[in-house]
Amino acid sequence: MVGMIETVKKNIILLGDGAAGKTSLVRRFVTDQFSDKYMTTLGSKVTKKDVYINLQGTQRHMVLLIWDILGQKGYQYSQALSFGGIEGALLVSDITRKSTLDSLKDYWIPSLVSVTGALPMIFLGNKNDLRDQAEFGEKELKEMAHGYEPCELRNQTYMTSSKTGENVEAAFRELAETLMRNTEKARLNYTQYIMDKSEINSIKEVADHILADFSLQFGGAENAGPILERHIREVGMNINDPTKKELVELVNALANIEEKFKPEKVVNLNRTKRLYLINLF
Ligand code: G3D
Ligand code: MG
């Protein structure tokens, strides 16, 4: 069976001075190619890439939307607009030009976080195939990255080359996995929140929470909506006036679905906490 895999969508952005290698890194990651023909990126361009991540024994599907912007300073306003919804960043420096490292600190990071707030960042020292012309190395890159903790990243820096492909996949994956772990943390917080029964005052609110919880774990309302609608119909539940019996049936139906793509432990935890909420009323 192909199985149902949860999908989450994440927007990430590459920032750094012009010619640091942003566009080449995206091209290498997405198509595994390096082109020596340089095309100026006008405005921002979004590239989509599917990433599969194994997290705690569950296969996850992430759609990465990769924003590549015009790498010139001074376009702050229009660039800032495109930061909306950005959840992670790759900060690209070119090891043959020390100035590209400095401007991460002086320009790119401040202009990013002023819009997005703190977010996971990975620091790249690109053009590592040109080590013999380097003006700085991994040590300086790490020093800068450490200044931006707590990003809680295991590996915040990568020496990359879009020419040879060195570490390109690893750097993108590190960011993707970090974002996936953060999504997981948000879920746990949400569970904590709904377990606090003082937040829930009626059986209808219980139904709301169960539907929201399922959607969240299923990668959003877009994916979960049609499935929920079908099962609500099947148990004959009126969403504005649910009965306990109907809700219990719905919870069991949702557990059957989750069994197909979640570890048994998680399925049982979800079922238990949902039944617990129903039984408060
Ligand atoms: P940008 O999008 O950050 O502005 P680009 O940068 O990806 O357009 O790359 C700028 C130039 O650097 C290009 O060269 C590109 O081929 C080169 N480049 C990018 N990454 C690497 C790398 O890892 N190693 C080497 N040696 N060169 C790289 P041109 O000459 O076409 O301008
Ligand atoms: Mg570019």
Side-chain angles (χ1 to χ4, degrees):
M1 181 177 162
V2 179
M4 275 182 274
I5 303 179
E6 289 179 79
T7 297
V8 293
K9 229 183 243 177
K10 297 284 175 189
N11 287 279
I12 64 169
I13 194 163
L14 286 92
L15 293 178
D17 282 356
K22 299 178 296 297
T23 302
S24 306
L25 285 161
V26 176
R27 192 181 300 131
R28 167 62 72 186
F29 179 56
V30 173
T31 68
D32 201 25
Q33 278 169 7
F34 179 77
S35 164
D36 286 304
K37 200 163 162 288
Y38 172 50
M39 304 248 298
T40 307
T41 323
L42 289 171
S44 42
K45 186 169 178 284
V46 184
T47 314
K48 189 179 143 218
K49 167 97 173 175
D50 292 286
V51 182
Y52 293 88
I53 295 169
N54 195 309
L55 196 71
Q56 290 153 3
T58 317
Q59 176 92 324
R60 303 293 166 80
H61 173 212
M62 182 180 279
V63 178
L64 268 189
L65 298 168
I66 305 165
W67 293 70
D68 180 21
I69 58 155
L70 179 70
Q72 306 296 326
K73 297 179 192 174
Y75 286 81
Q76 196 161 11
Y77 179 67
S78 60
Q79 284 168 357
L81 289 179
S82 69
F83 291 154
I86 297 293
E87 291 172 85
L90 294 169
L91 298 161
V92 185
S93 63
D94 167 354
I95 63 164
T96 68
R97 287 178 294 149
K98 175 72 164 44
S99 60
T100 63
L101 183 67
D102 297 333
S103 61
L104 292 182
K105 175 165 59 62
D106 299 336
Y107 179 79
W108 293 107
I109 296 173
S111 63
L112 173 70
V113 298
S114 69
V115 179
T116 61
L119 77 182
M121 298 187 280
I122 309 266
F123 290 77
L124 308 193
N126 192 41
K127 306 198 186 177
N128 202 34
D129 55 291
L130 302 177
R131 266 184 304 272
D132 53 337
Q133 299 166 41
E135 291 185 357
F136 67 94
E138 191 158 20
K139 183 172 163 282
E140 288 85 353
L141 193 64
K142 278 196 187 303
E143 274 166 17
M144 176 168 295
H146 288 159
Y148 293 96
E149 278 168 351
C151 301
E152 292 181 30
L153 301 185
R154 282 171 307 186
N155 197 350
Q156 291 185 79
T157 61
Y158 287 89
M159 301 303 277
T160 58
S161 167
S162 27
K163 187 163 189 171
T164 66
E166 177 189 359
N167 273 336
V168 176
E169 168 103 15
F172 276 93
R173 281 201 74 91
E174 180 67 38
L175 186 54
E177 285 174 14
T178 302
L179 294 174
M180 191 58 103
R181 284 195 299 273
N182 288 355
T183 302
E184 213 63 21
K185 268 191 224 154
R187 283 175 181 163
L188 291 177
N189 291 342
Y190 184 78
T191 304
Q192 203 54 51
Y193 162 75
I194 69 166
M195 291 298 273
D196 178 359
K197 68 177 165 44
S198 66
E199 298 286 343
I200 298 175
N201 301 305
S202 68
I203 190 81
K204 184 171 176 285
E205 280 181 38
V206 171
D208 271 351
H209 281 296
I210 291 170
L211 298 181
D213 184 41
F214 179 81
S215 290
L216 194 68
Q217 298 199 37
F218 206 79
E222 213 176 295
N223 298 323
I227 293 169
L228 284 172
E229 271 171 36
R230 181 157 58 81
H231 285 280
I232 287 167
R233 226 177 14 250
E234 272 175 24
V235 302
M237 191 174 98
N238 174 355
I239 193 118
N240 290 313
D241 186 22
T243 66
K244 273 178 79 166
K245 182 170 166 290
E246 290 157 0
L247 262 183
V248 170
E249 272 178 47
L250 183 67
V251 165
N252 287 332
L254 298 182
N256 285 339
I257 295 167
E258 289 180 329
E259 254 169 27
K260 299 190 180 96
F261 66 97
K262 283 184 180 299
E264 202 184 320
K265 216 167 59 188
V266 177
V267 177
N268 289 338
L269 175 70
N270 283 342
R271 191 169 167 276
T272 307
K273 89 187 175 199
R274 290 166 189 166
L275 293 177
Y276 167 83
L277 290 173
I278 296 169
N279 285 321
L280 293 175
F281 293 89

